[in-house]
C-alpha cells in the first residue's frame, strides 16, 4: 500500500514531488474520452522513470507470443492496444537548459484531477541550474464532446528569470510498448509534415495495418496577448516539431495552447486521415480552449447526474466511489459497438488493453443502471458480431455443430490468451456472456434483442456446454472435467461448482428463450433454425438430460457447496493464520505451492451464489460465505465486490464495509503496489455493485426491481441513481428513512424491504429504515 494522495470529495490531489510516485501518478491521473486515453505524463521532458502512454481505441497489434513450446489450439499472439503517437510533448529550454523535473529543484508541486469536470491540473515551481526560478501551471483534458481532440494549456510565469524561452511543440510516433514481447516497435512510418505552427505524423501498425494520423497546432500568448511568431519546423522519421523563441522578464507570463487530434483508419479511410485531422484542428482552434472546456465540463455534469453516488460522513469512501465511476465513464461511452472495456482501460499496458469476461460479469450492471439502454446493448452486440469467431475458436479445440467458445482475451473475437489453464479451461466465461443477455433483458425489458440477436448466441453457447460435459458411468451423473473456475489458484480440476452451475443455467435459459421466440416470432425462429441447422428436439433432449442429472459437489456435513471435487482433501488453513510476511502469496509462493493450498484468489463458489442468490435461503448463503471468505486472499481486483454484496446480504456490515473500502480505494491507495502498471478499470464497476447491490440491496427478480438498503455505521447517508424499465430513480438512504425520487414521467412498481410500492411519476416515496 502507498497512501500519498489527499482525500477530497471531488478531486484526486497529489502534493509534493516524489520521483518514486511518478509512474503511479501517471496511472491514477490518467484521462480519457472513450475514443482515446492518455496517461498523466508530463508535457515537458522528464528523464526519470516514466511510462509514456497514449492509446487509441480499437487499434491493436498481434504481438507474437513468447513460449518455449506449443500445444494444438494455442493462439500465436497476444493482442495489445498500442502505445500511440505522443501528442502532449513540449520541450522548454531556458537559456540552453531543458526544463526537466528530474534535474531541477522542484517546490510547490501539486497535481489535481477534477473528476466533476474531467480536468487534469498541475503546478510547480522549478529552480533551474542557473539559480533562476519559473512557476508552471498546466491544464489538460480529452474532450468527451469532440472526442478526437485533446487540449493543453501550459502557463509559465517567470519568478526571477530573464532571457529567452525556446518552445518546441512536437508529435512523436517513434514510440514502443513497455510490454512488447520482443522489444520491437509496432509502428511503421507513413508520413511527417511540419509547417508553421502545425505538426502532423502518420504511422501504420505492423501486421494489422491500422493507420493513425496525429496532428497538433500550437499558439503562444504573452501577458494575455496572442503572439505572432515565426516557427522553425523540422521533421524526422515518425516525428514532427515546431519551435519558436520568446523573450521574458521577471513577472511575464507565457501561455502555450496546444490542440491535438488523433484520427485513425478504424473510423476513416486512410486517404482522408490528414484532411480530417486538419479539419478537427480547425474546429478546436475555432472554439478555442474556453468554449471546448465549457462544453466538455457540461457533458461531464450530465454524466454525473446519471451515475453519481453520494456518501455523507466518509470522505475516503466518497472519493473512492467517484474515482471509480469517473474512470468507467471516461473509458467507455457506448458510442461504438466495435469497442469494449479492457481491464486497464487507457491507463497502462498490462493485460494488453483487450476484452475479458470482466465486461459482462462486472461492467454491464453499471452501465445498465446508469446509462441509456443503447450503451449496454452495444456491449452485447460486440459479442454477437464476434459469434463466428467464437465458433471458430471452439472448432480449433475440437468442438463441432456450431458450438461457440468465446475467448478469454480478445481484440477482434479471436482468442489470444495462451496460458493453457486459462485458454482451454477457464470456460466459465461463456456463462458470463450468456448471463449478460439475460441481465440486459430482465433490466430493460427489451425482448426483441432475444429475437434478433440473443437466441442465436445462447444456442451456440449451449451447444458448447453439451459437448464439453461428459457422462460418468461411475457416479451415474454428468460431469465437467479439467476446468479452471474463477479461482485461478486452482487449475485442471473436476466439477467446479460454479462452472457446472452456470452451464446448466445457460441450457435452461436457452430452452426458455427458444420457447419465447417460437411463440413470439415463429417466422424468425424458423429462419434461425435453418441458418444454424438446429435440431430442436434432439439437442434440447440432451440439454434437459444434463440439467436434470448434473453432478454438483457439496459437503453435506458442513452444509456447503464444494468449490470442486476433492477440495476438502487440501489442508484447510484460514487466511487469518497466514503470516503477513507471506502475503500476497502470488509474490511469495511457488505456483506449485499455491495450487496445492486451499487458498482462493477471488469469488468462485460465491460468484455463483451471487448470480443466483434468489435460489438459496439466508442460512445457505451465510454458511458458504463464512467458509469461503475465510479462505479467500482477495488477490484479484475482482474479488472484494462480490463479497461485499453477500456480506451485506447476511448483515455482516463490518466485513462489507472493510471490503468496500478496499475495492473502492484499490488504486488510489495502491493496495497491491502495482498501480504504476495501470488502473483496475473493470473491477471499478464492482465498486459500484458494492454500493448499489451490496448496501442498497438492489436486485432484479422476476422482472421486478427490489431494494433493501442498509447503512454502514460510518455513513450518515448515501444515495444512488438507477435506470429501470424507462424510469430513473434516485434512492437516498439515511439512518431514519429511505427516499425514492422518480425523476421521470414513468411510474414504477418497486419492492422495498419486501413490500410492494408504487413510485409515482415525478413523485416521492419514503419508508422507514
Amino acid at each position: 500500500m502507498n497512501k500519498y494522495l489527499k482525500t477530497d470529495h471531488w478531486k484526486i490531489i497529489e502534493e509534493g514531488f516524489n520521483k518514486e510516485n511518478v509512474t503511479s501518478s501517471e496511472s491514477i491521473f490518467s484521462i480519457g474520452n472513450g475514443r482515446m486515453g492518455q496517461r498523466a505524463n508530463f508535457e515537458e521532458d522528464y528523464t526519470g522513470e516514466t511510462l509514456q502512454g497514449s492509446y487509441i481505441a480499437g487499434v491493436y497489434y498481434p504481438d507474437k507470443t513468447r513460449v518455449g513450446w506449443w500445444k494444438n489450439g494455442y493462439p500465436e499472439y497476444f493482442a495489445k492496444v498500442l502505445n500511440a503517437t505522443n501528442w502532449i510533448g513540449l520541450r522548454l529550454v531556458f537559456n540552453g537548459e531543458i526544463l526537466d523535473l528530474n534535474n531541477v529543484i522542484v517546490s510547490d508541486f501539486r497535481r489535481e484531477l477534477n473528476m466533476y469536470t474531467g480536468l487534469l491540473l498541475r503546478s510547480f515551481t522549478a529552480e533551474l541550474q542557473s539559480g533562476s526560478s519559473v512557476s508552471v501551471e498546466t491544464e489538460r483534458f480529452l474532450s468527451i464532446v469532440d472526442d478526437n481532440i485533446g487540449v493543453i494549456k501550459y502557463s509559465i510565469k517567470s519568478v526571477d528569470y530573464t532571457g529567452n524561452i525556446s518552445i518546441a511543440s512536437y508529435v512523436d510516433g517513434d514510440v514502443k510498448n513497455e510490454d512488447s514481447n520482443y522489444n520491437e516497435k509496432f509502428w511503421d512510418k507513413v508520413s511527417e509534415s511540419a509547417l508553421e505552427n502545425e505538426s502532423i505524423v502518420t504511422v501504420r501498425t505492423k501486421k494489422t495495418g491500422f493507420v493513425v494520423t496525429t496532428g497538433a497546432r500550437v499558439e503562444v500568448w504573452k501577458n494575455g496577448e496572442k503572439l505572432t511568431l515565426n516557427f522553425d519546423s523540422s521533421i524526422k522519421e515518425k516525428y514532427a516539431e515546431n519551435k519558436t523563441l520568446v523573450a521574458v522578464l521577471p513577472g511575464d507570463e507565457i501561455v502555450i495552447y496546444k490542440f491535438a487530434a488523433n484520427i485513425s483508419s478504424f473510423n476513416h479511410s486512410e486517404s482522408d486521415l490528414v484532411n480530417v485531422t486538419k479539419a478537427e484542428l480547425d474546429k478546436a482552434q475555432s472554439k478555442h480552449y474556453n468554449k471546448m472546456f465549457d462544453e466538455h465540463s457540461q457533458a461531464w455534469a450530465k454524466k454525473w447526474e446519471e451515475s453519481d453516488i453520494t456518501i455523507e460522513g466518509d470522505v475516503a469512501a466518497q472519493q473512492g466511489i467517484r474515482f471509480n465511476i469517473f474512470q468507467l465513464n471516461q473509458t467507455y461511452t457506448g458510442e461504438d459497438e466495435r469497442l469494449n472495456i479492457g481491464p486497464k482501460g487507457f491507463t497502462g499496458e498490462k493485460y494488453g488493453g483487450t476484452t475479458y469476461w470482466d465486461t459482462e460479469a462486472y461492467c454491464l450492471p453499471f452501465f445498465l443502471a446508469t446509462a441509456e439502454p443503447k450503451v449496454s446493448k452495444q456491449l452485447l452486440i460486440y459479442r454477437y458480431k464476434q459469434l463466428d469467431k467464437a465458433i471458430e475458436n471452439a472448432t480449433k479445440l475440437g468442438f463441432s455443430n456450431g458450438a461457440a467458445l468465446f475467448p478469454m482475451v480478445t481484440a477482434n473475437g479471436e482468442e489470444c490468451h495462451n496460458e493453457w489453464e486459462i485458454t482451454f479451461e477457464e470456460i466459465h466465461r461463456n456463462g458470463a456472456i450468456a448471463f449478460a443477455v439475460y441481465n440486459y433483458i430482465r433490466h430493460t425489458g427489451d425482448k426483441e434483442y432475444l429475437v434478433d440477436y440473443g437466441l442465436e448466441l445462447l444456442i451456440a453457447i449451449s451447444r458448447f456446454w453439451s459437448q464439453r460435459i461428459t457422462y460418468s458411468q461411475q457416479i451415474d451423473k454428468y460431469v465437467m472435467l479439467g476446468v479452471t473456475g474463477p479461482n485461478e489458484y486452482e487449475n485442471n480440476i473436476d466439477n467446479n461448482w460454479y462452472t457446472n452451475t452456470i452451464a446448466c443455467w445457460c441450457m435452461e435459459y436457452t430452452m426458455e428463450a427458444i420457447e419465447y421466440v417460437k411463440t413470439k416470432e415463429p417466422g424468425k425462429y424458423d429462419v434461425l433454425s435453418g441458418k444454424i441447422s438446429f435440431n430442436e428436439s434432439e439437442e434440447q433432449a440432451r440439454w434437459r438430460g444434463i440439467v436434470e442429472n448434473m453432478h454438483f459437489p457439496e459437503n453435506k456435513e458442513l452444509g456447503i457447496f464444494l468449490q470442486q471435487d476433492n477440495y476438502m482433501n487440501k489442508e484447510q488453513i484460514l487466511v487469518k493464520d497466514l503470516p503477513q510476511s507471506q502475503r500476497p502469496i502470488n509474490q511469495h509462493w511457488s505456483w506449485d505451492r499455491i495450487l496445492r493450498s486451499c487458498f482462493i484468489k477471488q469469488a468462485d463458489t460465491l460468484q455463483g451464489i451471487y448470480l443466483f442468490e434468489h435460489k438459496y435461503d439466508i442460512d445457505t448463503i451465510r454458511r458458504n460465505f463464512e467458509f469461503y471468505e475465510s479462505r479467500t486472499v482477495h488477490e484479484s481486483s475482482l474479488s472484494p465486490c462480490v463479497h461485499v454484496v453477500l456480506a451485506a446480504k447476511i448483515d455482516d456490515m463490518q466485513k462489507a464495509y472493510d471490503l468496500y473500502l478496499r475495492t473502492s480505494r484499490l488504486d488510489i491507495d495502491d493496495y497491491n503496489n502495482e498501480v504504476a502498471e495501470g488502473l483496475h478499470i473493470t473491477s471499478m464497476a464492482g465498486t459500484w455493485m458494492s454500493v448499489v447491490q451490496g448496501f442498497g440491496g438492489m436486485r432484479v427478480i422476476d422482472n421486478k426491481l427490489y431494494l433493501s438498503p442498509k447503512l454502514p455505521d460510518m455513513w450518515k447517508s448515501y444515495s444512488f441513481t438507477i435506470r429501470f424499465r424507462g424510469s430513473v430513480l434516485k434512492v437516498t438512504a439515511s439512518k431514519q428513512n429511505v427516499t425514492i425520487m422518480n425523476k421521470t414521467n414513468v411510474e414504477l412498481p418497486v419492492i422495498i424491504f419486501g413490500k410492494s410500492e408504487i413510485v409515482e411519476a415525478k413523485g416521492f416515496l419514503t419508508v422507514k429504515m
Side-chain angles (χ1 to χ4, degrees):
M1 185 180 291
N2 182 19
K3 297 180 67 171
Y4 64 93
L5 301 171
K6 306 296 181 183
T7 55
D8 185 274
H9 289 87
W10 278 109
K11 298 173 181 178
I12 308 298
I13 300 168
E14 176 185 11
E15 292 181 345
F17 183 61
N18 183 341
K19 295 178 183 179
E20 294 181 358
N21 293 331
V22 167
T23 52
S24 297
S25 290
E26 287 174 349
S27 296
I28 293 168
F29 290 86
S30 294
I31 55 175
N33 63 10
R35 186 68 64 189
M36 58 182 172
Q38 175 65 51
R39 283 172 63 86
N41 309 113
F42 300 152
E43 290 87 357
E44 69 276 358
D45 286 41
Y46 184 68
T47 54
E49 184 180 359
T50 182
L51 172 57
Q52 177 69 43
S54 177
Y55 308 102
I56 310 295
V59 176
Y60 70 93
Y61 177 83
D63 196 12
K64 185 171 177 59
T65 304
R66 290 188 73 171
V67 293
W69 41 270
W70 219 260
K71 290 189 182 301
N72 288 335
Y74 258 26
E76 294 185 354
Y77 69 89
F78 193 105
K80 292 174 178 174
V81 174
L82 300 188
N83 184 17
T85 298
N86 174 13
W87 60 271
I88 67 171
L90 294 172
R91 180 163 296 114
L92 305 167
V93 184
F94 295 80
N95 287 342
E97 181 183 348
I98 295 175
L99 178 60
D100 177 350
L101 298 197
N102 195 45
N103 295 325
V104 298
I105 298 173
V106 180
S107 60
D108 302 321
F109 182 94
R110 191 177 193 274
R111 180 160 23 193
E112 174 188 305
L113 177 61
N114 186 318
M115 297 181 286
Y116 189 76
T117 61
L119 181 66
L120 176 63
L121 306 100
R122 183 169 58 103
S123 61
F124 61 88
T125 298
E127 182 182 325
L128 304 171
Q129 292 178 5
S130 65
S132 299
S133 295
V134 294
S135 61
V136 173
E137 294 183 0
T138 74
E139 299 179 9
R140 182 197 307 173
F141 65 93
L142 295 180
S143 174
I144 59 171
V145 176
D146 300 307
D147 61 7
N148 293 315
I149 299 293
V151 184
I152 295 168
K153 179 181 180 183
Y154 195 100
S155 304
I156 309 163
K157 187 170 185 179
S158 171
V159 177
D160 56 7
Y161 173 78
T162 299
N164 292 325
I165 305 177
S166 170
I167 300 169
S169 168
Y170 63 87
V171 290
D172 183 5
D174 191 23
V175 296
K176 66 178 182 180
N177 271 51
E178 184 184 60
D179 65 348
S180 168
N181 285 338
Y182 293 90
N183 202 34
E184 65 176 315
K185 293 181 178 179
F186 299 144
W187 297 96
D188 284 331
K189 162 188 171 166
V190 175
S191 64
E192 310 91 7
S193 67
L195 299 170
E196 288 300 319
N197 65 339
E198 177 186 274
S199 49
I200 296 178
V201 169
T202 301
V203 289
R204 186 193 313 273
T205 61
K206 299 176 180 177
K207 297 184 181 178
T208 46
F210 291 106
V211 182
V212 175
T213 296
T214 300
R217 289 184 189 156
V218 63
E219 297 177 2
V220 181
W221 295 55
K222 181 176 180 180
N223 299 330
E225 294 185 5
K226 183 179 177 181
L227 300 180
T228 301
L229 298 168
N230 293 319
F231 287 86
D232 293 327
S233 300
S234 62
I235 61 171
K236 57 183 178 180
E237 186 172 302
K238 295 184 279 189
Y239 180 94
E241 176 184 281
N242 309 108
K243 185 164 62 174
T244 192
L245 205 63
V246 180
V248 298
L249 298 171
D252 283 345
E253 182 178 31
I254 304 300
V255 178
I256 304 164
Y257 292 100
K258 185 169 185 177
F259 304 92
N262 284 297
I263 309 297
S264 80
S265 60
F266 190 74
N267 300 302
H268 301 274
S269 66
E270 181 178 346
S271 60
D272 290 338
L273 292 180
V274 172
N275 287 336
V276 173
T277 299
K278 288 176 177 285
E280 288 290 304
L281 292 174
D282 287 341
K283 179 172 63 175
Q285 280 192 292
S286 175
K287 288 186 177 182
H288 219 268
Y289 184 91
N290 288 339
K291 184 177 180 180
M292 287 197 71
F293 178 67
D294 284 346
E295 292 176 350
H296 169 77
S297 59
Q298 289 169 21
W300 264 112
K302 185 176 180 181
K303 283 184 178 291
W304 283 115
E305 184 178 343
E306 296 171 341
S307 59
D308 189 24
I309 290 176
T310 65
I311 297 172
E312 184 184 7
D314 190 340
V315 179
Q318 177 69 87
Q319 184 185 44
I321 189 63
R322 281 186 172 143
F323 181 68
N324 286 260
I325 293 169
F326 174 77
Q327 292 294 343
L328 285 162
N329 278 330
Q330 70 170 3
T331 299
Y332 183 76
T333 62
E335 295 296 325
D336 193 328
E337 67 188 25
R338 299 169 298 168
L339 301 179
N340 209 276
I341 307 163
K344 297 294 184 185
F346 296 122
T347 69
E349 298 171 16
K350 192 175 181 181
Y351 304 125
T354 44
T355 302
Y356 286 62
W357 69 292
D358 305 18
T359 292
E360 286 74 22
Y362 298 91
C363 298
L364 185 70
F366 169 79
F367 289 106
L368 277 173
T370 64
E372 294 280 357
K374 66 179 182 180
V375 173
S376 301
K377 191 172 183 177
Q378 296 282 56
L379 290 172
L380 271 63
I381 290 176
Y382 174 90
R383 292 292 192 181
Y384 174 79
K385 291 201 168 181
Q386 294 180 352
L387 179 57
D388 288 347
K389 285 287 187 181
I391 293 171
E392 181 182 310
N393 293 336
T395 302
K396 290 177 181 177
L397 302 182
F399 296 88
S400 60
N401 191 35
L405 177 59
F406 281 88
M408 186 65 183
V409 178
T410 193
N412 63 357
E414 187 176 27
E415 177 65 77
C416 63
H417 197 286
N418 42 54
E419 296 177 38
W420 63 270
E421 69 274 14
I422 306 297
T423 307
F424 301 151
E425 295 190 344
E426 203 165 335
I427 53 178
H428 64 82
R429 60 193 187 250
N430 251 13
I433 291 166
F435 192 87
V437 173
Y438 164 74
N439 208 8
Y440 169 78
I441 293 170
R442 71 172 176 172
H443 202 105
T444 64
D446 179 13
K447 285 198 170 184
E448 286 305 304
Y449 179 83
L450 194 61
V451 175
D452 295 335
Y453 304 100
L455 181 58
E456 183 178 356
L457 180 144
L458 291 169
I459 290 173
I461 289 176
S462 291
R463 283 172 161 175
F464 171 83
W465 291 127
S466 70
Q467 295 177 44
R468 186 61 170 77
I469 291 166
T470 55
Y471 176 71
S472 167
Q473 290 185 334
Q474 182 175 346
I475 64 172
D476 190 27
K477 291 280 187 181
Y478 285 97
V479 295
M480 186 116 61
L481 308 177
V483 301
T484 296
N487 172 28
E488 294 170 343
Y489 289 174
E490 299 274 10
N491 300 154
N492 200 35
I493 48 94
D494 296 337
N495 294 305
N496 173 254
W497 183 86
Y498 170 69
T499 306
N500 288 11
T501 297
I502 196 86
C504 287
W505 174 85
C506 284
M507 289 180 281
E508 287 183 288
Y509 181 56
T510 302
M511 289 187 282
E512 290 177 19
I514 288 169
E515 199 58 37
Y516 174 82
V517 176
K518 277 177 63 178
T519 303
K520 185 74 173 176
E521 296 280 359
K524 288 186 177 180
Y525 176 76
D526 290 341
V527 170
L528 175 61
S529 293
K531 172 186 174 182
I532 63 176
S533 302
F534 182 53
N535 188 324
E536 181 184 332
S537 59
E538 181 180 311
E539 294 193 56
Q540 285 201 101
R542 165 87 176 160
W543 299 346
R544 196 170 290 110
I546 292 171
V547 169
E548 293 173 354
N549 201 32
M550 190 72 189
H551 169 55
F552 296 99
E554 61 179 318
N555 185 306
K556 293 183 178 180
E557 181 180 348
L558 295 174
I560 62 169
F561 308 122
L562 274 188
Q563 184 174 267
Q564 74 261 355
D565 287 346
N566 301 315
Y567 178 77
M568 295 306 294
N569 288 346
K570 293 171 175 284
E571 185 179 7
Q572 298 297 312
I573 303 173
L574 303 186
V575 173
K576 68 180 179 61
D577 297 322
L578 262 178
Q580 193 60 40
S581 61
Q582 296 182 30
R583 302 282 304 277
I585 61 173
N586 62 18
Q587 296 178 21
H588 293 87
W589 287 14
S590 68
W591 191 240
D592 168 71
R593 186 179 179 188
I594 290 174
L595 292 177
R596 287 186 286 107
S597 78
C598 71
F599 296 119
I600 300 168
K601 182 181 181 184
Q602 68 189 77
D604 192 308
T605 302
L606 297 183
Q607 184 80 23
I609 292 175
Y610 160 72
L611 291 180
F612 306 113
E613 173 197 288
H614 60 283
K615 295 184 176 183
Y616 311 111
D617 61 48
I618 196 70
D619 289 335
T620 299
I621 296 172
R622 180 178 288 107
R623 284 194 302 271
N624 280 275
F625 179 85
E626 290 176 350
F627 181 85
Y628 285 110
E629 201 284 326
S630 63
R631 290 160 174 79
T632 302
V633 290
H634 298 294
E635 290 175 11
S636 164
S637 65
L638 300 173
S639 184
C641 59
V642 170
H643 291 81
V644 172
V645 176
L646 295 178
K649 174 74 176 180
I650 64 173
D651 288 323
D652 189 347
M653 294 298 286
Q654 186 61 52
K655 174 68 73 174
Y657 176 79
D658 290 344
L659 288 172
Y660 163 76
L661 215 55
R662 174 171 179 152
T663 185
S664 69
R665 298 189 63 84
L666 176 70
D667 289 320
I668 296 175
D669 293 339
D670 198 6
Y671 267 80
N672 298 328
N673 296 312
E674 61 180 6
V675 76
E677 300 171 339
L679 305 179
H680 296 84
I681 300 297
T682 51
S683 76
M684 289 176 171
T687 302
W688 178 91
M689 288 162 44
S690 297
V691 176
V692 177
Q693 297 179 2
F695 302 132
M698 176 205 166
R699 303 288 190 275
V700 179
I701 304 172
D702 295 330
N703 299 309
K704 297 176 183 177
L705 180 65
Y706 284 68
L707 294 165
S708 54
K710 299 176 181 179
L711 196 70
D713 291 340
M714 303 75 176
W715 298 359
K716 295 179 181 179
S717 69
Y718 63 91
S719 69
F720 56 85
T721 300
I722 51 175
R723 291 177 175 268
F724 187 77
R725 302 292 177 101
S727 293
V728 179
L729 305 181
K730 182 174 182 179
V731 181
T732 302
S734 68
K735 295 185 183 297
Q736 293 80 33
N737 301 309
V738 176
T739 301
I740 305 174
M741 179 179 69
N742 191 339
K743 301 169 75 172
T744 60
N745 288 316
V746 181
E747 72 170 27
L748 186 72
V750 299
I751 299 172
I752 182 162
F753 299 129
K755 183 180 178 182
S756 295
E757 302 278 3
I758 298 290
V759 188
E760 302 289 345
K762 294 291 185 177
F764 287 83
L765 174 68
T766 300
V767 298
K768 290 184 177 181
M769 279 288 274

